[in-house]
Amino acid sequence: MKQIIAMGGGGFSMEPDNPLLDRYILNQASSKEPKICFIPTASGDAEGYIAKYYAFFEKQLCVPSHLSLFKPHVQDIEAFLLSQDILYVGGGNTKNLLVLWKEWGLDGIMKKAWEQGIILAGISAGAICWFEEGVTDSFGDELHALKCLGFLSGSSCPHFDGEEKRKSAYHQLIDSGQLQPGIALDDGAAVHYIGETMKRIVSSRKEAYAYKVERNHVGEERLETIYLGDEEVPT
C-alpha cells in the first residue's frame, strides 16, 4: 500500500511538546516497532535538527536512524532506505533537496520505496517535495513556484497560517498559472494519501486545517480535518 503523509508544519522540530502528528505517522506502519529513517537533506543535515529527531523518536516505540548526504555513513543507500518502514523528510531548502537527491539517485529510490509500501512522510520541504509543484522560499525572501517529484498530482503549500506571505503568494501563483491548483496546509495539519487518493487530514492543533485552493473564481475551501487530541488515532 503506497502512503504519503505531508505536514505543513509541526512535529518534533516545531512542536516538541506536542507528539500527536509524529505518533500518528508511527501508528500507520504495520510493524509494532517500525524502523524510521530521518532524511534532513533540506537543512544541510543540520546537527541540531538531527539531535531533536533522536531526542523525540528514541523515546517512542520505534527504531530511529538517519541518512546524511553531507557526511555519508551508509555504503548502500538504496538497500538501507528500502529496509525501513518509514522515511521522514525534514524541512529546509526544497530546491537543494531535489538537486542533491537527483545527484545521489534518491529521487528514484524514494519512488521505489513508495511503490514497495514504505511510508513517505515529511514536513515543509519534506511535504511539498512529493507533489508535482510547490511553493518554496528556496531562492531567498520571495516565494516561488518549484517543480517537484510528482508522486502526487497538483501543488502544495506548507505553513499556510504560519508565515505571513504564504497564503497570498499561493493564491497569486495559482491565479497566474504558475502553479496548478492544490492543497494548502496550516502548521499542525497533515494530509494522508493512500496511493494518490486523499485518505484523511489530521491535525495536532484544533485550529489547524488543510484547504483546497483553486483559481481565483473559486478561491479556497477548508477541508474536514480530524484533531488528533479529540480522536482515537485513526489507522
Side-chain angles (χ1 to χ4, degrees):
M1 182 171 64
K2 299 191 295 187
Q3 298 188 69
I4 292 177
I5 303 170
M7 297 184 289
F12 68 90
S13 60
M14 291 184 66
E15 297 180 323
D17 298 321
N18 186 344
L20 292 175
L21 285 177
D22 288 330
R23 286 180 179 168
Y24 175 83
I25 292 170
L26 291 173
N27 286 335
Q28 305 316 304
S30 57
S31 172
K32 292 183 179 179
E33 192 173 351
K35 293 183 287 184
I36 180 169
C37 178
F38 182 48
I39 305 174
T41 314
S43 70
D45 291 346
E47 292 183 4
Y49 202 4
I50 296 170
K52 287 181 180 180
Y53 162 78
Y54 281 109
F56 176 80
F57 282 98
E58 284 180 342
K59 297 176 183 176
Q60 311 305 310
L61 189 61
C62 65
V63 180
S65 61
H66 76 282
L67 176 73
S68 174
L69 297 182
F70 290 83
K71 295 180 180 179
H73 56 98
V74 174
Q75 291 296 314
D76 190 336
I77 291 176
E78 180 170 343
F80 175 68
L81 293 180
L82 295 183
S83 72
Q84 305 294 318
D85 297 298
I86 303 167
L87 302 178
Y88 190 134
V89 182
N93 188 304
T94 317
K95 176 68 172 177
N96 288 347
L97 176 151
L98 293 169
V99 169
L100 284 167
W101 279 12
K102 184 176 181 179
E103 182 66 25
W104 284 82
L106 260 72
D107 51 350
I109 295 170
M110 289 295 185
K111 189 167 188 180
K112 187 180 291 187
W114 181 51
E115 291 171 343
Q116 291 184 9
I118 296 169
I119 297 169
L120 305 182
I123 175 175
S124 191
I128 67 172
C129 66
W130 314 118
F131 292 82
E132 290 180 296
E133 301 168 339
V135 179
T136 183
D137 58 2
S138 298
F139 302 95
D141 293 336
E142 298 299 319
L143 294 164
H144 296 272
L146 182 68
K147 297 289 184 183
C148 298
L149 293 173
F151 298 0
L152 301 172
S153 60
S155 68
S156 183
C157 177
H159 310 303
F160 200 54
D161 69 336
E163 296 180 7
E164 183 180 355
K165 297 179 180 180
R166 288 277 174 171
K167 180 176 288 195
S168 60
Y170 193 38
H171 279 283
Q172 189 276 325
L173 290 167
I174 290 175
D175 292 346
S176 66
Q178 296 177 67
L179 282 178
Q180 300 175 65
I183 186 165
L185 295 163
D186 286 343
D187 288 342
V191 58
H192 185 176
Y193 288 86
I194 301 296
E196 295 184 47
T197 302
M198 190 185 302
K199 180 180 182 181
R200 67 170 64 93
I201 298 160
V202 297
S203 72
S204 59
R205 296 188 284 110
K206 287 185 176 181
E207 69 276 15
Y209 299 96
Y211 304 83
K212 182 179 180 182
V213 182
E214 301 282 359
R215 301 221 189 280
N216 51 15
H217 65 285
V218 176
E220 68 187 53
E221 173 192 357
R222 194 172 82 182
L223 302 174
E224 180 181 357
T225 303
I226 299 169
Y227 170 55
L228 294 171
D230 284 343
E231 303 277 347
E232 291 187 13
V233 176
T235 57

